[in-house]
Amino acid sequence: MANNYQLWSEIVENLSDEEIEWIKDALTWSPTEEEERDPNFECPAWYDRDAEGCGFDYNLDKKARSLHVYSEENGNLDSLVDFLQEFINRFRPEMLFVITWAETCSKPRIGQFGGGAVVIHRDGARWLTAWAWAREQIEEINELKGIKEEKKA
């Protein structure tokens, strides 16, 4: 059996006291039993119900005034992006934050390696995967050669 991994490691630096407090509260938040029973209650976008938390690994270093976000084997990158976008909107609206990741496999399985990048800003996020970039390049090269890919019905 092969294991697939999605790995990343980035840092937010120069945190203010207010930012540290918000991060601490946000990343340790969990719904109350009453909120869990309420079908209309919505968790924060970054909360991963399956992970019962933020869905990614982190180290909030109050002395260094930094937040290290990473994945040991896997993590919920969508949750991390949602969390960082909320942080940016609250505290640093001009900030652009970049996360790059690697997708690996414990065995040399074809098509199981890749990666990508996401740029997070106050209005959203822009994603790029290695596979999507490669497909775009193939289309551009084929266009230059006059080759058109047949569309599948």
Side-chain angles (χ1 to χ4, degrees):
M1 183 171 115
N3 295 310
N4 289 64
Y5 304 101
Q6 187 180 60
L7 306 170
W8 67 81
S9 180
E10 302 295 345
I11 193 164
V12 181
E13 298 178 295
N14 303 315
L15 297 171
S16 69
D17 290 340
E18 184 183 7
E19 291 170 335
I20 289 171
E21 232 9 74
W22 180 82
I23 290 168
K24 181 178 67 77
D25 291 344
L27 293 179
T28 58
W29 179 88
S30 63
T32 65
E33 287 182 31
E34 186 177 306
E35 290 168 335
E36 284 282 353
R37 287 192 298 270
D38 181 353
N40 297 318
F41 178 74
E42 289 188 26
C43 291
W46 49 263
Y47 185 81
D48 184 336
R49 285 184 184 264
D50 293 332
E52 295 182 353
C54 59
F56 53 87
D57 297 311
Y58 68 91
N59 179 35
L60 177 60
D61 187 333
K62 293 177 186 177
K63 186 175 181 182
R65 307 189 82 67
S66 65
L67 173 67
H68 178 204
V69 290
Y70 60 96
S71 63
E72 288 283 343
E73 291 182 357
N74 282 305
N76 188 329
L77 198 51
D78 291 324
S79 289
L80 176 56
V81 169
D82 289 338
F83 172 79
L84 289 170
Q85 188 179 15
E86 187 166 333
F87 172 82
I88 288 167
N89 277 311
R90 284 176 182 262
F91 300 105
R92 301 181 185 187
E94 300 307 312
M95 180 183 200
L96 299 175
F97 193 85
V98 177
I99 301 170
T100 60
W101 73 88
E103 294 170 0
T104 67
C105 184
S106 61
K107 296 196 181 214
R109 297 248 168 105
I110 296 169
Q112 297 298 301
F113 295 84
V118 59
V119 178
I120 307 157
H121 55 96
R122 70 176 171 219
D123 298 318
R126 293 185 179 195
W127 297 79
L128 173 73
T129 67
W131 286 102
W133 179 83
R135 278 192 302 274
E136 287 174 13
Q137 299 312 303
I138 290 168
E139 287 174 15
E140 283 182 31
I141 291 166
N142 284 339
E143 250 181 62
L144 290 172
K145 290 179 174 181
I147 301 170
K148 291 194 177 183
E149 228 181 282
E150 288 184 26
K151 300 227 176 187
K152 295 180 182 176

